[in-house]
């Protein structure tokens, strides 16, 4: 059985808090679930909290970038929060960039980034 990552809706933002050991199948399920949730809710922002993620491989690293690309197709900005130093180092060593993905140290800063992007989108800035 594939463990599913919960996706919570907070206003027009979806919060994905990864609290399980990511396996290839669970990441693929997350990608599908998130696309469906963005489409169903019309969310304009996605925060992926990876503070509990200790290890990433090249597949999982690429999938974060893919998830951000899918979100962008649905007009939603993505922010990855809570990246551990070891995860950042691994991504760099693997030569992976999270193109189009903004990062923030924690959830609060990620919400601020999405708030600013939302105001820009509405022409308030």
């Amino acid at each position: 059985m594939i463990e599913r990552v919960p996706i919570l809706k907070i206003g027009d933002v979806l919060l994905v808090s990864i609290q399980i050991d990511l396996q290839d199948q669970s990441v693929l399920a997350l990608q599908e679930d998130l696309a469906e949730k963005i489409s169903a809710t019309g969310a304009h922002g996605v925060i992926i909290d990876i503070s509990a993620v200790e290890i990433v491989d090249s597949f999982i690293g690429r999938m974060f970038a893919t998830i951000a690309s899918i979100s962008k197709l649905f007009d939603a900005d993505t922010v990855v929060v809570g990246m551990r130093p070891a995860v950042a180092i691994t991504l760099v060593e693997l030569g992976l960039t999270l193109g189009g993905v903004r990062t923030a140290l924690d959830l609060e800063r990620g919400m601020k980034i999405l708030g600013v992007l939302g105001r820009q989108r509405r022409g308030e800035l």
Side-chain angles (χ1 to χ4, degrees):
M1 184 172 155
I2 298 171
E3 280 190 89
R4 297 297 239 233
V5 176
I7 302 170
L8 307 173
K9 185 175 183 300
I10 303 169
D12 67 346
V13 174
L14 297 178
L15 173 61
V16 179
S17 183
I18 300 173
Q19 300 294 318
I20 61 171
D21 287 332
L22 291 173
Q23 305 298 322
D24 292 356
Q25 290 302 319
S26 57
V27 174
L28 290 171
L30 171 60
Q31 175 181 309
E32 211 172 284
D33 293 346
L34 187 57
E36 288 177 14
K37 191 80 166 185
I38 295 169
S39 176
T41 64
H44 289 291
V46 175
I47 293 182
I48 303 174
D49 179 4
I50 62 170
S51 57
V53 175
E54 295 182 18
I55 299 172
V56 295
D57 60 17
S58 60
F59 177 76
I60 292 170
R62 284 192 313 273
M63 290 313 295
F64 286 142
T66 300
I67 286 170
S69 295
I70 291 169
S71 298
K72 197 57 152 174
L73 289 173
F74 286 102
D75 197 30
D77 297 303
T78 302
V79 179
V80 173
V81 302
M83 188 178 303
R84 293 175 181 230
V87 170
I89 290 167
T90 301
L91 291 173
V92 170
E93 287 175 348
L94 292 171
L96 297 173
T97 60
L98 299 179
V101 179
R102 294 176 185 266
T103 58
L105 291 176
D106 56 34
L107 180 58
E108 182 178 2
R109 291 178 186 186
M111 292 293 284
K112 285 181 183 175
I113 289 170
L114 288 177
V116 168
L117 293 174
R119 286 192 302 276
Q120 287 175 340
R121 182 183 309 221
R122 293 186 301 271
E124 296 172 12
L125 291 179

